[in-house]
Amino acid sequence: MDDLKAPSIDYAAVAPILILFGAACLGVVVEAFVPRRARHAVQLTLALLATLAALVVVITQASTRITTATGALAIDGPAVFLQGAILALALVSLLLMGERKLEPGGAFVPQAAITVGSEADERQATHAPGLTEVFPISLFAIAGMLLFVAANDLLTMFVALEVFSLPLYLLCALARRRRLLSQEAALKYFLLGSYASAFFLFGVALIYGFVGAVDLASIHTAAAESDRDPLLLYAGLALLSIGLLFKTAAVPFHVWTPDVYQGAPTPVTAFMAACTKVAAFGALLRVLYVGFNGLSWDFTPILGVVAVLTMIIGAVLAVTQTDIKRLLAYSSIANAGYLLVGVLASGERGLASTMFYLVAYGFSVLAAFAVVTLVRDADGEAGHLSRWAGLGRRSPLIAGVFAFILLAFAGIPLTSGFIGKFAVFGAAIEGGQTWLVIAGVISSIVLAFPYLRVVVMMWLSDPSELTPTVSVPGVLTTAALAIGVAVTLLLGVAPSLLLDLTTGAAEFVQ
């Protein structure tokens, strides 16, 4: 489809990326010149307006099907849909980041350079206004994600990977409370992210050695038609896949996930759980479906084993967790396995079901972490599961909402989780991957136990002195929680609208 290539950049097609990069740069200027007392409101407003404007532009580009920037970017159905999903989820994430009512000054440390545990650190933890640089940093990350899912050559994809990863490393280290744990999480994430980038880049080098180009169309042609020994191509694909699987939190590349989820500020954890997963799977889908779809019979068994291990290990280790954020981290790992089942289903139905699942899971996990921010005491969030006992007696509404989200994760009917699993499993059966569905059903049964255990603890246990109070949510947290719950319910009761959108968007261009 070379006739679709534009000789220069189509600025309308890449406008969402440009809007976010421009707003991020403007946010840096705001940090320099706007007085501190007004900075939070200005930065939050700028971030929300820029993200909303980018989302509006993406919606107007819904029918665009081109490659631009000399083929480096593909604005097609999956790219537009995934960009819209990232922006919608990012809007909700920014609401959680902007909340200041739950924590004095917000969830982020005012000055990250102060020594942890010092007297100055104690003062800023309770009185000083929070760091507002998180908003332009987040905009840089969101812009990188939009570029990542639209990248049509491997070097552009690598640049996008770094653009959205580096801000995330910073954001993970900025927790106001438990700062040492937060900095440890950021360092682990940085080191493992560096390994992922190295694997990805080595994979690009090997693929270039075989193909002589890095654009996905040339890779597709060489993979399908070349009569040379494909060993170099297979090795490059393996390294490339490892780099992307790090970002999806698939086993055995999942080791950063629990520590980072636990140590990062909870709004950042929510942002990563929702948006980073969409970006990582969007890039994986493009690489496999566009560049290497002629090799599906070669990579499917290996990635299938990864999917099975991800589902089973994520589910089994979730059972053993005693911290709510670590439980949600292992839940995220298991859900990465279900998404891999959709990826390996192949065809338009596999692509459509994966995109549906990404949106459904994203809004549910944002609602879950919004609840986590509310269950707290004077020392911060109550992470240990034993402290959630009797929460249904203290705050029936919040406990009921969290129970509903956990049931959605478990795949109970009339929730988006059930429709999402039904979609990816159905696509896998249609694609001849029944063995993956069997493993998925088994892991879903195992994973239901830790979810139901939390529900039982909240509703059937008596409150104790350790049971924390539930903070009254501010306007921003209330909005984020309401949106997450509403989408989870709506996609469970009436999923056809989103299913139709994903089906219509399930076609790549080259």
Side-chain angles (χ1 to χ4, degrees), residues 92-136:
V92 181
S93 302
L94 289 170
L95 292 176
L96 292 177
M97 291 183 189
E99 183 62 79
R100 305 182 75 173
K101 181 177 180 180
L102 304 177
E103 190 85 61
F108 300 96
V109 64
Q111 189 174 347
I114 291 179
T115 303
V116 176
S118 65
E119 185 176 330
D121 185 42
E122 295 296 328
R123 285 198 304 270
Q124 72 171 358
T126 54
H127 297 98
L131 200 69
T132 53
E133 288 95 330
V134 294
F135 298 108

mmCIF file of all heavy atoms in Angstrom, residues 92-136:
data_model
loop_
_atom_site.group_PDB
_atom_site.id
_atom_site.type_symbol
_atom_site.label_atom_id
_atom_site.label_comp_id
_atom_site.label_asym_id
_atom_site.label_seq_id
_atom_site.Cartn_x
_atom_site.Cartn_y
_atom_site.Cartn_z
ATOM 1 N N VAL A 92 -8.230 10.480 33.137
ATOM 2 C CA VAL A 92 -8.636 10.001 34.464
ATOM 3 C C VAL A 92 -7.431 9.937 35.394
ATOM 4 O O VAL A 92 -7.509 10.288 36.577
ATOM 5 C CB VAL A 92 -9.321 8.628 34.345
ATOM 6 C CG1 VAL A 92 -9.770 8.137 35.716
ATOM 7 C CG2 VAL A 92 -10.524 8.703 33.408
ATOM 8 N N SER A 93 -6.290 9.498 34.868
ATOM 9 C CA SER A 93 -5.070 9.429 35.679
ATOM 10 C C SER A 93 -4.650 10.809 36.165
ATOM 11 O O SER A 93 -4.231 10.981 37.323
ATOM 12 C CB SER A 93 -3.938 8.798 34.865
ATOM 13 O OG SER A 93 -4.274 7.515 34.408
ATOM 14 N N LEU A 94 -4.759 11.814 35.304
ATOM 15 C CA LEU A 94 -4.393 13.178 35.697
ATOM 16 C C LEU A 94 -5.303 13.712 36.801
ATOM 17 O O LEU A 94 -4.866 14.492 37.656
ATOM 18 C CB LEU A 94 -4.429 14.104 34.482
ATOM 19 C CG LEU A 94 -3.314 13.898 33.454
ATOM 20 C CD1 LEU A 94 -3.598 14.700 32.191
ATOM 21 C CD2 LEU A 94 -1.961 14.302 34.041
ATOM 22 N N LEU A 95 -6.561 13.279 36.786
ATOM 23 C CA LEU A 95 -7.458 13.676 37.880
ATOM 24 C C LEU A 95 -6.945 13.144 39.212
ATOM 25 O O LEU A 95 -6.965 13.851 40.226
ATOM 26 C CB LEU A 95 -8.872 13.151 37.601
ATOM 27 C CG LEU A 95 -9.614 13.775 36.418
ATOM 28 C CD1 LEU A 95 -10.964 13.074 36.218
ATOM 29 C CD2 LEU A 95 -9.822 15.273 36.617
ATOM 30 N N LEU A 96 -6.481 11.897 39.227
ATOM 31 C CA LEU A 96 -5.936 11.330 40.458
ATOM 32 C C LEU A 96 -4.646 12.040 40.865
ATOM 33 O O LEU A 96 -4.414 12.292 42.051
ATOM 34 C CB LEU A 96 -5.663 9.836 40.273
ATOM 35 C CG LEU A 96 -6.881 8.924 40.115
ATOM 36 C CD1 LEU A 96 -6.451 7.489 39.866
ATOM 37 C CD2 LEU A 96 -7.767 8.997 41.360
ATOM 38 N N MET A 97 -3.803 12.374 39.894
ATOM 39 C CA MET A 97 -2.559 13.077 40.211
ATOM 40 C C MET A 97 -2.825 14.478 40.759
ATOM 41 O O MET A 97 -2.054 14.986 41.579
ATOM 42 C CB MET A 97 -1.691 13.182 38.954
ATOM 43 C CG MET A 97 -1.122 11.887 38.454
ATOM 44 S SD MET A 97 -0.063 12.162 37.019
ATOM 45 C CE MET A 97 0.236 10.468 36.492
ATOM 46 N N GLY A 98 -3.895 15.096 40.310
ATOM 47 C CA GLY A 98 -4.175 16.461 40.723
ATOM 48 C C GLY A 98 -4.873 16.592 42.054
ATOM 49 O O GLY A 98 -5.016 17.715 42.562
ATOM 50 N N GLU A 99 -5.311 15.501 42.657
ATOM 51 C CA GLU A 99 -6.045 15.569 43.920
ATOM 52 C C GLU A 99 -5.117 15.987 45.060
ATOM 53 O O GLU A 99 -4.063 15.395 45.262
ATOM 54 C CB GLU A 99 -6.665 14.201 44.229
ATOM 55 C CG GLU A 99 -7.509 14.176 45.483
ATOM 56 C CD GLU A 99 -8.701 15.113 45.382
ATOM 57 O OE1 GLU A 99 -9.691 14.743 44.735
ATOM 58 O OE2 GLU A 99 -8.622 16.223 45.964
ATOM 59 N N ARG A 100 -5.521 16.984 45.812
ATOM 60 C CA ARG A 100 -4.718 17.465 46.943
ATOM 61 C C ARG A 100 -5.451 17.353 48.273
ATOM 62 O O ARG A 100 -4.873 17.639 49.325
ATOM 63 C CB ARG A 100 -4.306 18.928 46.717
ATOM 64 C CG ARG A 100 -3.583 19.154 45.416
ATOM 65 C CD ARG A 100 -3.127 20.592 45.225
ATOM 66 N NE ARG A 100 -1.971 20.905 46.061
ATOM 67 C CZ ARG A 100 -1.298 22.053 45.979
ATOM 68 N NH1 ARG A 100 -1.682 22.975 45.115
ATOM 69 N NH2 ARG A 100 -0.275 22.283 46.752
ATOM 70 N N LYS A 101 -6.699 16.935 48.227
ATOM 71 C CA LYS A 101 -7.480 16.903 49.461
ATOM 72 C C LYS A 101 -7.062 15.736 50.350
ATOM 73 O O LYS A 101 -7.067 15.849 51.581
ATOM 74 C CB LYS A 101 -8.966 16.791 49.112
ATOM 75 C CG LYS A 101 -9.872 16.773 50.337
ATOM 76 C CD LYS A 101 -11.326 16.735 49.935
ATOM 77 C CE LYS A 101 -12.220 16.708 51.177
ATOM 78 N NZ LYS A 101 -13.649 16.671 50.837
ATOM 79 N N LEU A 102 -6.685 14.611 49.754
ATOM 80 C CA LEU A 102 -6.402 13.413 50.537
ATOM 81 C C LEU A 102 -5.073 13.506 51.272
ATOM 82 O O LEU A 102 -4.900 12.940 52.340
ATOM 83 C CB LEU A 102 -6.397 12.187 49.619
ATOM 84 C CG LEU A 102 -7.678 11.971 48.810
ATOM 85 C CD1 LEU A 102 -7.529 10.781 47.878
ATOM 86 C CD2 LEU A 102 -8.867 11.756 49.745
ATOM 87 N N GLU A 103 -4.119 14.188 50.687
ATOM 88 C CA GLU A 103 -2.778 14.324 51.245
ATOM 89 C C GLU A 103 -2.448 15.813 51.302
ATOM 90 O O GLU A 103 -2.691 16.523 50.329
ATOM 91 C CB GLU A 103 -1.786 13.599 50.342
ATOM 92 C CG GLU A 103 -0.397 13.447 50.927
ATOM 93 C CD GLU A 103 -0.266 12.232 51.814
ATOM 94 O OE1 GLU A 103 -0.463 11.113 51.342
ATOM 95 O OE2 GLU A 103 0.016 12.440 53.006
ATOM 96 N N PRO A 104 -1.904 16.323 52.401
ATOM 97 C CA PRO A 104 -1.557 17.748 52.451
ATOM 98 C C PRO A 104 -0.586 18.112 51.323
ATOM 99 O O PRO A 104 0.547 17.651 51.297
ATOM 100 C CB PRO A 104 -0.893 17.896 53.821
ATOM 101 C CG PRO A 104 -1.398 16.761 54.635
ATOM 102 C CD PRO A 104 -1.605 15.631 53.665
ATOM 103 N N GLY A 105 -1.039 18.897 50.387
ATOM 104 C CA GLY A 105 -0.180 19.282 49.282
ATOM 105 C C GLY A 105 -0.161 18.317 48.124
ATOM 106 O O GLY A 105 0.440 18.594 47.098
ATOM 107 N N GLY A 106 -0.821 17.154 48.257
ATOM 108 C CA GLY A 106 -0.852 16.202 47.167
ATOM 109 C C GLY A 106 -0.019 14.970 47.452
ATOM 110 O O GLY A 106 0.661 14.856 48.474
ATOM 111 N N ALA A 107 -0.031 14.020 46.505
ATOM 112 C CA ALA A 107 0.632 12.734 46.699
ATOM 113 C C ALA A 107 2.130 12.794 46.432
ATOM 114 O O ALA A 107 2.842 11.824 46.700
ATOM 115 C CB ALA A 107 -0.006 11.685 45.788
ATOM 116 N N PHE A 108 2.635 13.923 45.909
ATOM 117 C CA PHE A 108 4.011 13.981 45.443
ATOM 118 C C PHE A 108 4.869 14.832 46.371
ATOM 119 O O PHE A 108 4.420 15.848 46.908
ATOM 120 C CB PHE A 108 4.065 14.531 44.021
ATOM 121 C CG PHE A 108 3.283 13.688 43.056
ATOM 122 C CD1 PHE A 108 1.988 14.017 42.719
ATOM 123 C CD2 PHE A 108 3.841 12.546 42.511
ATOM 124 C CE1 PHE A 108 1.245 13.233 41.851
ATOM 125 C CE2 PHE A 108 3.113 11.752 41.640
ATOM 126 C CZ PHE A 108 1.818 12.093 41.309
ATOM 127 N N VAL A 109 6.106 14.404 46.535
ATOM 128 C CA VAL A 109 7.035 15.089 47.428
ATOM 129 C C VAL A 109 7.313 16.505 46.899
ATOM 130 O O VAL A 109 7.467 16.707 45.698
ATOM 131 C CB VAL A 109 8.338 14.270 47.548
ATOM 132 C CG1 VAL A 109 9.047 14.174 46.215
ATOM 133 C CG2 VAL A 109 9.248 14.839 48.599
ATOM 134 N N PRO A 110 7.387 17.506 47.779
ATOM 135 C CA PRO A 110 7.654 18.868 47.303
ATOM 136 C C PRO A 110 9.059 19.045 46.731
ATOM 137 O O PRO A 110 9.254 19.730 45.743
ATOM 138 C CB PRO A 110 7.476 19.721 48.564
ATOM 139 C CG PRO A 110 6.623 18.897 49.458
ATOM 140 C CD PRO A 110 6.996 17.475 49.181
ATOM 141 N N GLN A 111 10.052 18.403 47.370
ATOM 142 C CA GLN A 111 11.430 18.556 46.914
ATOM 143 C C GLN A 111 12.110 17.199 47.009
ATOM 144 O O GLN A 111 12.479 16.737 48.091
ATOM 145 C CB GLN A 111 12.166 19.602 47.761
ATOM 146 C CG GLN A 111 13.538 19.966 47.221
ATOM 147 C CD GLN A 111 14.170 21.103 47.993
ATOM 148 O OE1 GLN A 111 13.508 21.779 48.777
ATOM 149 N NE2 GLN A 111 15.456 21.322 47.775
ATOM 150 N N ALA A 112 12.316 16.559 45.884
ATOM 151 C CA ALA A 112 12.808 15.180 45.873
ATOM 152 C C ALA A 112 14.253 15.073 46.317
ATOM 153 O O ALA A 112 14.699 14.003 46.734
ATOM 154 C CB ALA A 112 12.652 14.599 44.470
ATOM 155 N N ALA A 113 15.041 16.158 46.253
ATOM 156 C CA ALA A 113 16.464 16.084 46.553
ATOM 157 C C ALA A 113 16.755 16.045 48.050
ATOM 158 O O ALA A 113 17.880 15.738 48.448
ATOM 159 C CB ALA A 113 17.193 17.276 45.929
ATOM 160 N N ILE A 114 15.767 16.338 48.900
ATOM 161 C CA ILE A 114 16.000 16.325 50.351
ATOM 162 C C ILE A 114 16.213 14.895 50.821
ATOM 163 O O ILE A 114 15.529 13.967 50.385
ATOM 164 C CB ILE A 114 14.809 16.975 51.085
ATOM 165 C CG1 ILE A 114 14.782 18.475 50.783
ATOM 166 C CG2 ILE A 114 14.893 16.746 52.581
ATOM 167 C CD1 ILE A 114 13.640 19.212 51.444
ATOM 168 N N THR A 115 17.153 14.712 51.725
ATOM 169 C CA THR A 115 17.502 13.378 52.219
ATOM 170 C C THR A 115 16.309 12.730 52.915
ATOM 171 O O THR A 115 15.661 13.352 53.765
ATOM 172 C CB THR A 115 18.682 13.468 53.203
ATOM 173 O OG1 THR A 115 19.782 14.101 52.540
ATOM 174 C CG2 THR A 115 19.096 12.078 53.664
ATOM 175 N N VAL A 116 16.065 11.477 52.579
ATOM 176 C CA VAL A 116 14.956 10.737 53.179
ATOM 177 C C VAL A 116 15.182 10.562 54.676
ATOM 178 O O VAL A 116 16.278 10.199 55.128
ATOM 179 C CB VAL A 116 14.811 9.358 52.505
ATOM 180 C CG1 VAL A 116 13.727 8.540 53.194
ATOM 181 C CG2 VAL A 116 14.492 9.521 51.028
ATOM 182 N N GLY A 117 14.153 10.856 55.478
ATOM 183 C CA GLY A 117 14.235 10.676 56.920
ATOM 184 C C GLY A 117 14.790 11.853 57.679
ATOM 185 O O GLY A 117 14.812 11.840 58.918
ATOM 186 N N SER A 118 15.251 12.876 56.977
ATOM 187 C CA SER A 118 15.800 14.042 57.654
ATOM 188 C C SER A 118 14.676 14.894 58.239
ATOM 189 O O SER A 118 13.500 14.697 57.950
ATOM 190 C CB SER A 118 16.635 14.877 56.684
ATOM 191 O OG SER A 118 15.812 15.414 55.659
ATOM 192 N N GLU A 119 15.069 15.875 59.064
ATOM 193 C CA GLU A 119 14.070 16.761 59.663
ATOM 194 C C GLU A 119 13.339 17.565 58.597
ATOM 195 O O GLU A 119 12.124 17.765 58.666
ATOM 196 C CB GLU A 119 14.760 17.697 60.661
ATOM 197 C CG GLU A 119 13.798 18.578 61.439
ATOM 198 C CD GLU A 119 14.510 19.414 62.482
ATOM 199 O OE1 GLU A 119 15.558 18.951 62.998
ATOM 200 O OE2 GLU A 119 14.023 20.514 62.788
ATOM 201 N N ALA A 120 14.094 18.005 57.588
ATOM 202 C CA ALA A 120 13.470 18.740 56.486
ATOM 203 C C ALA A 120 12.483 17.862 55.720
ATOM 204 O O ALA A 120 11.432 18.326 55.269
ATOM 205 C CB ALA A 120 14.546 19.273 55.540
ATOM 206 N N ASP A 121 12.825 16.590 55.615
ATOM 207 C CA ASP A 121 11.932 15.665 54.917
ATOM 208 C C ASP A 121 10.639 15.477 55.698
ATOM 209 O O ASP A 121 9.551 15.399 55.117
ATOM 210 C CB ASP A 121 12.645 14.327 54.719
ATOM 211 C CG ASP A 121 11.832 13.347 53.894
ATOM 212 O OD1 ASP A 121 11.235 13.775 52.881
ATOM 213 O OD2 ASP A 121 11.785 12.151 54.246
ATOM 214 N N GLU A 122 10.754 15.409 57.012
ATOM 215 C CA GLU A 122 9.556 15.266 57.842
ATOM 216 C C GLU A 122 8.665 16.496 57.725
ATOM 217 O O GLU A 122 7.431 16.382 57.666
ATOM 218 C CB GLU A 122 9.962 15.041 59.308
ATOM 219 C CG GLU A 122 10.696 13.740 59.573
ATOM 220 C CD GLU A 122 9.835 12.526 59.300
ATOM 221 O OE1 GLU A 122 8.602 12.620 59.496
ATOM 222 O OE2 GLU A 122 10.373 11.487 58.873
ATOM 223 N N ARG A 123 9.260 17.672 57.671
ATOM 224 C CA ARG A 123 8.466 18.895 57.554
ATOM 225 C C ARG A 123 7.737 18.958 56.216
ATOM 226 O O ARG A 123 6.549 19.291 56.151
ATOM 227 C CB ARG A 123 9.370 20.123 57.718
ATOM 228 C CG ARG A 123 9.807 20.402 59.135
ATOM 229 C CD ARG A 123 10.307 21.836 59.274
ATOM 230 N NE ARG A 123 11.387 22.131 58.333
ATOM 231 C CZ ARG A 123 12.675 21.950 58.609
ATOM 232 N NH1 ARG A 123 13.034 21.470 59.782
ATOM 233 N NH2 ARG A 123 13.596 22.255 57.716
ATOM 234 N N GLN A 124 8.435 18.625 55.128
ATOM 235 C CA GLN A 124 7.796 18.751 53.832
ATOM 236 C C GLN A 124 6.736 17.666 53.618
ATOM 237 O O GLN A 124 5.815 17.842 52.829
ATOM 238 C CB GLN A 124 8.834 18.701 52.712
ATOM 239 C CG GLN A 124 9.466 17.337 52.462
ATOM 240 C CD GLN A 124 10.319 17.335 51.201
ATOM 241 O OE1 GLN A 124 10.413 18.330 50.509
ATOM 242 N NE2 GLN A 124 10.935 16.199 50.903
ATOM 243 N N ALA A 125 6.854 16.551 54.333
ATOM 244 C CA ALA A 125 5.866 15.485 54.182
ATOM 245 C C ALA A 125 4.508 15.875 54.732
ATOM 246 O O ALA A 125 3.481 15.325 54.330
ATOM 247 C CB ALA A 125 6.350 14.204 54.876
ATOM 248 N N THR A 126 4.493 16.828 55.652
ATOM 249 C CA THR A 126 3.222 17.181 56.293
ATOM 250 C C THR A 126 2.715 18.584 55.957
ATOM 251 O O THR A 126 1.537 18.861 56.140
ATOM 252 C CB THR A 126 3.370 17.072 57.824
ATOM 253 O OG1 THR A 126 4.489 17.872 58.249
ATOM 254 C CG2 THR A 126 3.607 15.623 58.238
ATOM 255 N N HIS A 127 3.599 19.466 55.463
ATOM 256 C CA HIS A 127 3.174 20.848 55.289
ATOM 257 C C HIS A 127 3.377 21.420 53.892
ATOM 258 O O HIS A 127 2.541 22.158 53.400
ATOM 259 C CB HIS A 127 3.904 21.750 56.312
ATOM 260 C CG HIS A 127 3.594 21.426 57.738
ATOM 261 N ND1 HIS A 127 4.420 20.633 58.519
ATOM 262 C CD2 HIS A 127 2.539 21.747 58.519
ATOM 263 C CE1 HIS A 127 3.892 20.493 59.711
ATOM 264 N NE2 HIS A 127 2.750 21.162 59.756
ATOM 265 N N ALA A 128 4.484 21.121 53.259
ATOM 266 C CA ALA A 128 4.830 21.809 52.015
ATOM 267 C C ALA A 128 3.926 21.380 50.857
ATOM 268 O O ALA A 128 3.483 20.232 50.789
ATOM 269 C CB ALA A 128 6.292 21.529 51.654
ATOM 270 N N PRO A 129 3.635 22.309 49.932
ATOM 271 C CA PRO A 129 2.841 21.939 48.751
ATOM 272 C C PRO A 129 3.620 20.993 47.842
ATOM 273 O O PRO A 129 4.849 21.033 47.791
ATOM 274 C CB PRO A 129 2.593 23.287 48.060
ATOM 275 C CG PRO A 129 3.695 24.170 48.541
ATOM 276 C CD PRO A 129 4.000 23.733 49.937
ATOM 277 N N GLY A 130 2.907 20.137 47.150
ATOM 278 C CA GLY A 130 3.540 19.083 46.375
ATOM 279 C C GLY A 130 4.199 19.561 45.090
ATOM 280 O O GLY A 130 3.977 20.677 44.616
ATOM 281 N N LEU A 131 5.017 18.694 44.549
ATOM 282 C CA LEU A 131 5.731 18.963 43.308
ATOM 283 C C LEU A 131 4.732 19.048 42.149
ATOM 284 O O LEU A 131 3.907 18.169 41.955
ATOM 285 C CB LEU A 131 6.718 17.827 43.064
ATOM 286 C CG LEU A 131 7.885 18.062 42.117
ATOM 287 C CD1 LEU A 131 8.869 19.041 42.725
ATOM 288 C CD2 LEU A 131 8.581 16.736 41.833
ATOM 289 N N THR A 132 4.825 20.113 41.365
ATOM 290 C CA THR A 132 3.911 20.275 40.230
ATOM 291 C C THR A 132 4.558 19.921 38.897
ATOM 292 O O THR A 132 3.888 19.932 37.872
ATOM 293 C CB THR A 132 3.396 21.725 40.172
ATOM 294 O OG1 THR A 132 4.511 22.629 40.182
ATOM 295 C CG2 THR A 132 2.494 22.024 41.346
ATOM 296 N N GLU A 133 5.856 19.619 38.921
ATOM 297 C CA GLU A 133 6.510 19.184 37.688
ATOM 298 C C GLU A 133 5.949 17.862 37.174
ATOM 299 O O GLU A 133 6.213 17.472 36.039
ATOM 300 C CB GLU A 133 8.020 19.040 37.898
ATOM 301 C CG GLU A 133 8.760 20.349 38.030
ATOM 302 C CD GLU A 133 8.937 20.750 39.481
ATOM 303 O OE1 GLU A 133 8.072 20.388 40.298
ATOM 304 O OE2 GLU A 133 9.932 21.439 39.782
ATOM 305 N N VAL A 134 5.194 17.166 38.027
ATOM 306 C CA VAL A 134 4.651 15.873 37.597
ATOM 307 C C VAL A 134 3.737 16.026 36.378
ATOM 308 O O VAL A 134 3.618 15.090 35.574
ATOM 309 C CB VAL A 134 3.877 15.195 38.746
ATOM 310 C CG1 VAL A 134 4.813 14.818 39.873
ATOM 311 C CG2 VAL A 134 2.749 16.067 39.249
ATOM 312 N N PHE A 135 3.112 17.180 36.210
ATOM 313 C CA PHE A 135 2.176 17.338 35.095
ATOM 314 C C PHE A 135 2.884 17.447 33.754
ATOM 315 O O PHE A 135 2.547 16.712 32.819
ATOM 316 C CB PHE A 135 1.245 18.522 35.357
ATOM 317 C CG PHE A 135 0.386 18.345 36.578
ATOM 318 C CD1 PHE A 135 0.614 19.081 37.730
ATOM 319 C CD2 PHE A 135 -0.639 17.410 36.580
ATOM 320 C CE1 PHE A 135 -0.177 18.906 38.858
ATOM 321 C CE2 PHE A 135 -1.433 17.225 37.701
ATOM 322 C CZ PHE A 135 -1.194 17.965 38.846
ATOM 323 N N PRO A 136 3.891 18.328 33.573
ATOM 324 C CA PRO A 136 4.605 18.287 32.296
ATOM 325 C C PRO A 136 5.350 16.977 32.069
ATOM 326 O O PRO A 136 5.439 16.493 30.928
ATOM 327 C CB PRO A 136 5.575 19.472 32.386
ATOM 328 C CG PRO A 136 5.633 19.860 33.809
ATOM 329 C CD PRO A 136 4.317 19.481 34.390
#
